[in-house]
């Protein structure tokens, strides 16, 4: 997400003065409308990414240590269900970032 913020700043440098003002006002108006600031949104997205990676790593470890193919598949299914649950609960963060420019 730090790369995204740097990318945003890099894009701003290449815009005309008018486009810079429009981009900045768009982000600020979204913040005032209750969508959160860009840095806060990026921080939340980073947390979601971190949580997703932790679930995937734990699922991979459990599957690797399973005693049979059946247990391995069950561990994979549990990990997939956990990731789906996580993204159903917190996936709105990505939608918020994607919609920020609208």
């Amino acid at each position: 997400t730090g790369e995204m913020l740097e990318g945003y700043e890099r894009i701003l440098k290449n815009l005309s003065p008018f486009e810079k003002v429009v981009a900045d006002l768009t982000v600020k108006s979204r913040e005032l409308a209750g969508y959160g600031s860009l840095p806060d949104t990026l921080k939340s997205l980073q947390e979601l990414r971190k949580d997703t990676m932790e679930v995937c790593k734990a699922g991979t470890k459990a599957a690797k240590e399973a005693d049979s193919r059946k247990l391995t598949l069950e561990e994979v299914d549990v990990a997939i269900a956990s990731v789906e649950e996580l993204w159903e609960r917190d996936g709105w963060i990505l939608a918020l970032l994607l919609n920020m420019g609208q």
Side-chain angles (χ1 to χ4, degrees):
T1 56
E3 292 172 8
M4 294 175 81
L5 190 53
E6 289 171 9
Y8 174 75
E9 292 170 356
R10 187 173 42 248
I11 289 170
L12 279 180
K13 289 179 184 178
N14 295 325
L15 296 177
S16 71
F18 174 75
E19 291 171 326
K20 287 179 187 178
V21 170
V22 170
D24 191 46
L25 287 174
T26 300
V27 171
K28 286 188 183 344
S29 70
R30 300 287 291 181
E31 183 177 345
L32 291 173
Y35 290 96
S37 68
L38 181 60
D40 290 345
T41 302
L42 292 174
K43 182 178 177 185
S44 296
L45 187 60
Q46 179 64 26
E47 287 296 318
L48 177 58
R49 180 184 173 278
K50 179 182 150 199
D51 293 344
T52 301
M53 291 301 295
E54 287 175 4
V55 170
C56 290
K57 285 179 182 180
T60 301
K61 182 179 179 191
K64 184 178 177 182
E65 294 173 353
D67 293 331
S68 68
R69 179 178 168 86
K70 180 181 178 185
L71 291 175
T72 298
L73 294 175
E74 288 175 4
E75 292 295 343
V76 168
D77 289 340
V78 167
I80 290 171
S82 296
V83 169
E84 287 175 345
E85 180 183 322
L86 177 65
W87 276 81
E88 284 176 14
R89 187 187 71 219
D90 296 337
W92 60 271
I93 298 165
L94 179 60
L96 183 66
L97 180 64
L98 294 173
N99 292 328
M100 192 167 273
Q102 295 180 349

